[in-house]
């Protein structure tokens, strides 16, 4: 059995399982947010039963927080009151964005089965969890029973070797990969990231890669835990980490990264990949650096490296969106916040904010943004006629200085 | 689920994402009627006017890709759409649709079907007939595990049984 089959066999109390079979697995963490949570909780309340394991339930209010309007404030209040009454884990501003916060606090750890009513729940595969996005009704079901049904996914392995360029990050690797296989190239599958490039890749960039597995249709993304994973996990959570054996993948693709350039995904699909250096004619109005995809400390280190001593071009809104309050604090201590302020950036609180067109950086018709977030669908960041280009923090920061999309080498 | 679902088609392309099915700016509510009022508006401003109760969406590959928002199948169902037929579905959307009792079928019906055609889905026979174009398509059968949820009318209803 491979890594995914081993986790799911264990969680289902079965000696062996294989890709394609249906199981009912015990959930270690059941996650919801301020968009998907109210529906899940209302359904739970109307069932009139107990939560099977309140400790496993985690609510993170991050999408429209600090609350953007009365409706979102009412939703968060509803969830806050529910959490208090039913003794489940609850976080809201200033804590931060769910997929940054859960690994950071050790709420999720290696070997866990995690379901989240948020499609980017797949992020936690970076620390060896089986984590997948579901809807509100699945969350209600799991709250009631402690379990959820899964079809065991096939594993599609991506093995990265070669020499990674100076400005080529985990974001470039995942965008390039989605470009190769398409937005449904891994539909229903678990994407495994391996090879010498992944062994050397920092944890923050592994999170970025797993985060975007869903953009290729993936059910999960994961890296088999290694020394880096163990070092990251150590001392964070209270629950025991588990490390499972890996085996054969169903499908494998080898990717040589030597000579690969920083890339961007052009509107309106994450699989439309171009070299950043070829995009100079695209003028931008906004740059967003942060989110559950690229809102960790090393992402801001990359942005700070570019912005140090430089100015954001006049008329461009460069928005720094820390993934968590803790990341914000780290960025302050490391001097990045000062660099961002001096260069003319806007520093936002830790929120999903503009990524999904919520608030704090919504685009008008015909406006263009370069963003380190995960989706560039029609209307994703605002008006139907706005356009989003997805990129790494290096590319987004360099583009903010240039006022058009460029590769950092061109600065 | 009814065994026969008949309706006029509304045909769309590949990778219709959840952000166009129901934009995030409307996600401060989960009331079906409020969501239906904005269903598909970023793809087609007149979607609501064009759709009549019982109509069927016929799509290409990867329908419902993107976010896990259950508001997407809820908006479609509350618009009066009786079923979605696609060449393939994004995983979370497919799961959500089954969980809330929106009938979904995997079929190649998009090839040769145009908006306004009258089609009939025969669930037990696994067949879709385009009554306007006189063509017949197969639907992919559901695994036994999912049939139980579907016949109960959704995931939570299956639990109560």
């Amino acid at each position: 059995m491979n890594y995914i089959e081993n986790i799911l066999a264990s969680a289902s109390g079965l000696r062996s399982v294989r890709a394609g079979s249906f199981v009912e697995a015990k959930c270690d963490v059941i996650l919801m947010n301020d968009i998907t949570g109210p529906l899940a909780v209302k359904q739970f309340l109307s069932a009139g039963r107990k939560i099977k394991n309140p400790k496993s339930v985690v609510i993170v209010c991050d999408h429209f927080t600090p609350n953007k309007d009365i409706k979102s404030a009412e939703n968060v209040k509803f969830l806050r009151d529910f959490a208090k009454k039913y003794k489940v884990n609850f976080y809201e501003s200033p804590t931060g964005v769910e997929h940054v916060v859960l690994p950071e606090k050790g709420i999720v750890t290696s070997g866990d089965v995690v379901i989240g009513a948020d499609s980017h729940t797949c992020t936690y595969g970076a620390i060896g969890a089986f984590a997948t996005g579901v809807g509100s009704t699945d969350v209600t079901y799991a709250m009631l029973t402690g379990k959820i049904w899964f079809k065991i996914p096939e594993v599609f392995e991506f093995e990265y070797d070669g020499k990674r360029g100076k400005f080529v990050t985990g974001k470039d690797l995942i965008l390039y990969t989605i470009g190769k296989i398409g937005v449904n190239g891994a539909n229903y599958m678990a994407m495994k990231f391996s090879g010498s490039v992944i062994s050397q890749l920092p944890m923050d960039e592994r999170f970025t890669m797993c985060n975007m597995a869903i953009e290729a249709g993936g059910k999960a993304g994961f890296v088999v835990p290694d020394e880096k994973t163990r070092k990251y996990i150590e001392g964070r959570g209270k629950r025991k980490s588990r490390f499972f054996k890996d085996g054969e993948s169903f499908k494998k693709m080898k990717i040589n990264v030597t000579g690969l350039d920083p890339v961007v995904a052009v509107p309106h699909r994450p699989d439309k990949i171009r070299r950043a250096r070829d995009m100079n004619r695209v003028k931008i109005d906004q740059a967003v650096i942060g989110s559950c995809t690229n809102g960790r400390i090393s992402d801001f280190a990359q942005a700070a490296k570019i912005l140090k001593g430089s100015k954001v071009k006049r008329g461009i809104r460069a928005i720094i969106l820390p993934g968590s309050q803790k990341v914000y604090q780290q960025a302050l201590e490391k001097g990045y916040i000062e660099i961002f302020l001096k260069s003319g950036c806007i520093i936002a609180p830790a929120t999903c904010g503009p990524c999904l067109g919520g608030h704090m950086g919504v685009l008008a018709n015909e406006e263009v943004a370069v963003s380190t977030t995960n989706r560039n669908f029609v209307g994703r960041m605002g008006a139907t006629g706005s356009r989003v280009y997805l990129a790494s923090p290096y590319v987004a920061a360099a583009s903010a200085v240039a006022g058009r999309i460029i590769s950092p080498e061109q600065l | 689920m009814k065994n026969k679902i008949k309706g006029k088609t509304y045909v769309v392309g590949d990778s219709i994402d959840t952000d166009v099915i129901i934009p995030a700016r409307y996600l401060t509510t989960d009331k079906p009627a409020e969501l239906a009022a904005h269903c598909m508006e970023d793809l087609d401003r007149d979607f609501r006017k064009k759709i009549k109760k019982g109509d069927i969406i016929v799509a290409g590959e990867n329908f419902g890709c993107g976010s896990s928002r259950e508001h997407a199948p809820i908006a479609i169902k509350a618009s009066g759409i009786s079923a979605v037929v696609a060449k393939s579905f994004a995983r979370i959307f497919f799961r959500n649709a089954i969980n809330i009792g929106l009938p979904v079928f995997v079929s190649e019906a998009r090839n040769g079907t145009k908006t306004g055609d009258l089609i009939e889905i025969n669930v037990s026979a696994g067949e879709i007939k385009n009554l306007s174009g006189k063509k017949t398509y197969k639907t992919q059968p559901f695994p036994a595990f999912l049939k139980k949820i579907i016949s109960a009318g959704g995931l939570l209803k299956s639990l109560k049984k």
Side-chain angles (χ1 to χ4, degrees), chain A residues 370-403:
Chain A
V370 60
S371 177
T372 68
T373 54
N374 42 52
R375 289 193 178 127
N376 57 353
F377 298 153
V378 170
R380 173 74 179 180
M381 200 176 270
T384 314
S386 61
R387 285 179 294 148
V388 176
Y389 292 76
L390 304 175
S392 73
Y394 280 135
V395 171
S399 304
V401 174

Side-chain angles (χ1 to χ4, degrees), chain A residues 41-150:
Chain A
V41 167
K42 281 177 207 165
Q43 293 188 125
F44 165 79
L45 293 173
S46 68
R49 287 161 53 170
K50 277 190 191 158
I51 301 179
K52 183 81 178 177
N53 177 12
K55 278 189 186 156
S56 67
V57 178
V58 183
I59 302 175
V60 182
C61 296
D62 54 1
H63 278 62
F64 295 150
T65 58
N67 302 309
K68 73 179 181 101
D69 56 17
I70 295 168
K71 273 185 167 181
S72 55
E74 295 291 349
N75 284 337
V76 171
K77 182 173 183 286
F78 172 70
L79 292 172
R80 189 189 300 121
D81 293 346
F82 167 79
K84 199 172 172 191
K85 186 169 172 193
Y86 286 83
K87 297 188 170 59
V88 305
N89 303 288
F90 180 80
Y91 302 96
E92 63 179 313
S93 297
T95 313
V97 177
E98 48 193 345
H99 309 311
V100 176
V101 169
L102 265 60
E104 187 181 82
K105 288 188 178 295
I107 295 166
V108 169
T109 193
S110 176
D112 278 355
V113 170
V114 184
I115 61 157
D118 187 282
S119 60
H120 294 106
T121 301
C122 53
T123 308
Y124 316 131
I127 48 170
F130 173 76
T132 190
V134 297
S136 300
T137 298
D138 277 315
V139 160
T140 307
Y141 184 91
M143 284 165 81
L144 293 167
T145 65
K147 291 177 184 172
I148 195 74
W149 68 269
F150 289 121

Side-chain angles (χ1 to χ4, degrees), chain B residues 116-131:
Chain B
D117 284 357
L118 186 66
I119 66 169
E120 186 179 71
I121 305 165
N122 185 324
V123 179
S124 57
E127 229 174 58
I128 298 175
K129 266 189 195 149
N130 185 328
L131 303 169

